[in-house]
Amino acid sequence: MRRSRAILTVLTTGALTAGALTVLSPAADAASTLGSAAAGQGRYFGTAVSINRLSDATYSSILNREFNSVTAENEMKIDALEPQQNQFNYTTADRLITRANEMGAKVRGHTLAWHSQQPGWMQSMSGTALRNAMKNHITQVMTHYKGKIDSWDVVNEAFDDSNGGRRDSNLQRTGNDWIEDAFKTARAADPAVKLCYNDYNTDNWTWAKTQGVYNMVKDFKARGVPIDCVGFQSHFNSGSPYPSNYRTTLQNFADLGVDVQITELDIEGSGTTQANTYANVVRDCLAVTRCNGITVWGIRDSDSWRASGTPLLFDANGNPKQAYTSTLAALGGSTSSPSPSTSSSASPSPSVSQSSGTRACTATVTVNAWTGGFVTSVKVTAGSAALTGWTTGLTLPAGSAVTNSWSATASGTSGAVSFTNVGYNGTVPAGGTTEFGFQGTGSAPSTTATCTAR
Ligand code: XIL
């Protein structure tokens, strides 16, 4: 049973309810590729793919081995898919879908509405005609790729670099509502796929551009404009360095109720500095429950759009760089252990539960009490499998009552009470944590809590 439940008492790491299971065997075979290590954390690790490089044997074999998500570097852009108005050419892009299916990889769709890489006919359009052409493009392309794409970059790079406002473009000049019009059109075309806004220089929380995008997403959520995710391109270099508040940025966006994805990662540099920055980016994503995955913008340095900055994980010969090793390690993988057959590819054994597939969690309780009241914070830690939800329970002393809680839904206010994840914090990667809290009157509960994983 995949959804078997496991109950653990705080600070004990054993004792599962599901009978006859060996518990939490230490990670005997750490994943040895980026994709399998990320999968072990409930994430994907992807790359941009340039379709004409698939015939390069080195490129192709690294792609197959390491990645479980792909983005077309150019082949799903507007000029590629609709070279003449209303004449769509899907042949090249469809090859990537076929390849992704062969690899068992997800596909990020990139990108439906953008000021750049527009076909000539679109560049010279304006007003209602352009708005309608944009909507037609979104509808046609999304219909063609229905069911084949995990997340679409619906709108790309719509914000100005310095002032936090909109970028001037022919699309922007069709009216300020062009972005929400694009998202509404996208939702109507395919209600199942995730719809993302994607941009660069939105990594540093203090930058005006970051705030501009944040405020737009907040407004969309408040008004019910459909948006599911925000993509952070994260092209890091000396002019746009990795910021120490990157995790804060990702978390603040996630707290708006959207997923976050690192969509075009490349980090110019070399050696230990570059390796450390890659590891920091990975750790930041893993720390944010709603960070779905990371895509690097190419495989070898020589494949990069910024090749001179050697910003990727493999050198021109296809050898893994120091940055590769640090990235893999940050994902919880290891190059030293030859994992025989990566377990994350979910062998569909119908009745036998593997310990690695058994969800478990622990709850650690911290109490700050005073005469007549208390505040309790609880850290939920996933076991060796990612969680899709959790409930923790504890017992209040007679006369005590919960008055309010945050980041969890409370059931009961006195005696035995329980707290269940809310929408945005049910998913916890293997070994990851999430926190919630509650306040109450009376004397404090003991620090013993149960944790039930889903
Ligand atoms: C780049 C590609 O890597 C290049 O091959 C192409 O010449 C230009 O576009 N932001 C994006 C990507 O959203 O689509 C861009 O890709 C890089 C910046």
Side-chain angles (χ1 to χ4, degrees):
M1 279 180 55
R2 278 194 68 70
R3 296 176 66 88
S4 61
R5 290 184 172 205
I7 300 183
L8 294 180
T9 302
V10 66
L11 303 180
T12 64
T13 46
L16 291 175
T17 54
L21 292 176
T22 336
V23 183
L24 302 179
S25 63
D29 26 60
S32 62
T33 67
L34 300 169
S36 59
Q41 306 280 1
R43 308 302 208 279
Y44 64 77
F45 203 97
T47 180
V49 172
S50 177
I51 287 164
N52 60 19
R53 290 185 206 269
L54 290 175
S55 56
D56 175 326
T58 305
Y59 182 93
S60 194
S61 71
I62 300 173
L63 174 64
N64 280 350
R65 189 182 71 224
E66 297 287 343
F67 299 98
N68 58 5
S69 176
V70 293
T71 307
E73 186 169 357
N74 289 297
E75 296 81 353
M76 288 191 192
K77 291 174 179 174
I78 314 169
D79 57 353
L81 293 185
E82 195 177 355
Q84 306 298 326
Q85 187 168 18
N86 230 359
Q87 288 177 21
F88 291 84
N89 182 356
Y90 297 112
T91 314
T92 309
D94 284 356
R95 285 179 55 207
L96 184 65
I97 304 282
T98 304
R99 179 60 173 260
N101 290 341
E102 289 164 2
M103 293 166 57
K106 292 181 194 286
V107 181
R108 295 197 78 262
H110 177 78
T111 175
L112 296 165
W114 190 21
H115 67 276
S116 186
Q117 292 181 266
Q118 292 183 356
W121 63 265
M122 186 179 269
Q123 289 176 33
S124 55
M125 278 185 131
S126 62
T128 309
L130 174 59
R131 179 70 71 91
N132 288 337
M134 173 191 86
K135 293 203 275 190
N136 182 55
H137 182 83
I138 292 170
T139 304
Q140 298 296 325
V141 172
M142 289 188 73
T143 302
H144 179 82
Y145 285 114
K146 216 168 187 167
K148 297 176 176 161
I149 306 264
D150 176 71
S151 304
W152 263 113
D153 289 334
V154 178
V155 171
N156 197 32
E157 301 182 349
F159 275 72
D160 182 83
D161 275 324
S162 51
N163 65 19
R166 296 289 183 82
R167 172 196 298 277
D168 180 44
S169 72
N170 61 349
L171 289 165
Q172 179 62 31
R173 289 191 291 272
T174 67
N176 207 48
D177 62 343
W178 74 275
I179 300 181
E180 61 193 85
D181 210 0
F183 276 90
K184 288 174 186 165
T185 305
R187 180 66 97 225
D190 183 352
V193 74
K194 282 192 208 178
L195 308 178
C196 304
Y197 176 79
N198 191 53
D199 214 328
Y200 65 92
N201 282 0
T202 49
D203 315 289
N204 189 321
W205 180 242
T206 67
W207 286 16
K209 187 171 177 179
T210 310
Q211 294 299 312
V213 175
Y214 178 84
N215 287 328
M216 177 188 74
V217 176
K218 190 175 181 186
D219 170 58
F220 279 13
K221 293 304 272 186
R223 289 190 296 114
V225 177
I227 182 166
D228 306 306
C229 38
V230 174
F232 296 81
Q233 293 185 10
S234 303
H235 296 291
F236 292 129
N237 51 54
S238 55
S240 180
Y242 163 80
S244 58
N245 59 24
Y246 190 55
R247 187 181 297 191
T248 301
T249 303
L250 298 177
Q251 186 64 60
N252 286 346
F253 273 88
D255 287 346
L256 291 176
V258 288
D259 286 348
V260 294
Q261 303 177 356
I262 298 166
T263 54
E264 303 183 14
L265 181 65
D266 47 23
I267 303 173
E268 293 191 26
S270 61
T272 306
T273 308
Q274 182 182 50
N276 287 342
T277 309
Y278 264 102
N280 282 335
V281 169
V282 170
R283 284 192 284 263
D284 290 339
C285 177
L286 295 183
V288 176
T289 305
R290 292 195 75 149
C291 182
N292 305 149
I294 298 173
T295 299
V296 287
W297 206 238
I299 296 180
R300 300 164 299 193
D301 284 336
S302 49
D303 301 318
S304 170
W305 70 314
R306 291 177 169 173
S308 64
T310 60
L312 295 175
L313 299 177
F314 294 87
D315 69 18
N317 296 319
N319 296 315
K321 294 164 58 181
Q322 200 179 333
Y324 170 88
T325 310
S326 66
T327 298
L328 182 60
L331 287 167
S334 161
T335 45
S336 56
S337 111
S339 80
S341 64
T342 347
S343 58
S344 57
S345 52
S347 54
S349 63
S351 57
V352 182
S353 295
Q354 302 286 331
S355 59
S356 63
T358 304
R359 298 186 176 99
C361 56
T362 53
T364 312
V365 180
T366 310
V367 181
N368 178 16
W370 57 91
T371 309
F374 59 90
V375 170
T376 302
S377 45
V378 184
K379 186 194 278 185
V380 174
T381 304
S384 58
L387 308 180
T388 60
W390 46 264
T391 299
T392 79
L394 41 74
T395 304
L396 299 183
S400 292
V402 174
T403 52
N404 67 303
S405 61
W406 50 95
S407 304
T409 303
S411 173
T413 55
S414 60
V417 294
S418 65
F419 299 87
T420 296
N421 65 277
V422 286
Y424 62 83
N425 63 5
T427 307
V428 183
T433 63
T434 187
E435 290 188 41
F436 72 94
F438 60 96
Q439 188 169 356
T441 54
S443 51
S446 85
T447 54
T448 304
T450 60
C451 193
T452 307
R454 288 189 302 281

